[in-house]
Amino acid sequence: MSEMPDKLAEIVEELASAPRDVVLEMLLEFSDAVAPLPPSLAGGGHEGMEQVPECQTAFFLRAEVGADRVVTAHFDAPPEAPTTRAFAGILAEGLAGATVDEVLAVPDDLYVRMGLASVISPLRVRGGNAILARLKRQVREQI
């Protein structure tokens, strides 16, 4: 069984060890890490993307598994939802270049391990968990 990618493990450690008052600032920085959608998915219709209804705002994602078993994840969340965008940014940055096995090895309680449960609402943590669960399910469906 492989482990989660080193980059994601570093992010988890950074957030878990940061003082609580700094964590929200760090999350805002991750909200900027969400790349714009590629032209094939842009256009506002979200065709081919899955909505995550557990999120309080409109959030869409799509995982693509390449022939090399490297996963490319696309996320779309409105700028006015910085916490949700931060979850996507953490995954986007932490899973960049990750393989199928690495993505599937990400612990389901990722956001709790980061210590976010003490900083943001349980509803938002649940949304983050749903994003990860759907991402992993999409990967499983393609292998």
Side-chain angles (χ1 to χ4, degrees):
M1 186 74 185
S2 72
E3 295 177 21
M4 70 173 136
D6 291 342
K7 180 66 183 157
L8 186 59
E10 282 172 33
I11 293 170
V12 171
E13 181 56 37
E14 274 176 39
L15 284 166
S17 62
R20 297 297 90 194
D21 56 337
V22 177
V23 170
L24 288 175
E25 288 173 34
M26 292 170 73
L27 284 177
L28 287 176
E29 289 174 22
F30 281 110
S31 72
D32 295 334
V34 180
L37 290 173
S40 62
L41 293 175
H46 295 110
E47 284 101 37
M49 298 187 81
E50 178 177 3
Q51 183 164 6
V52 181
E54 293 87 345
C55 290
Q56 292 173 288
T57 55
F59 185 95
F60 296 85
L61 69 92
R62 178 180 174 136
E64 296 173 346
V65 178
D68 54 2
R69 292 180 60 89
V70 168
V71 176
T72 303
H74 303 287
F75 303 103
D76 192 26
E80 60 273 15
T83 306
T84 307
R85 282 185 68 84
F87 290 148
I90 288 167
L91 291 176
E93 200 169 304
L95 296 177
T99 64
V100 164
D101 295 331
E102 289 171 324
V103 170
L104 296 179
V106 174
D108 293 333
D109 63 347
L110 180 69
Y111 300 107
V112 173
R113 288 183 185 212
M114 291 180 200
L116 298 185
S118 63
V119 187
I120 56 177
S121 72
L123 202 58
R124 287 209 165 85
V125 171
R126 195 162 49 244
N129 290 339
I131 292 167
L132 178 60
R134 288 170 190 274
L135 182 70
K136 289 166 85 169
R137 196 205 70 241
Q138 286 189 20
V139 167
R140 275 191 214 97
E141 287 173 354
Q142 294 177 59
I143 55 174

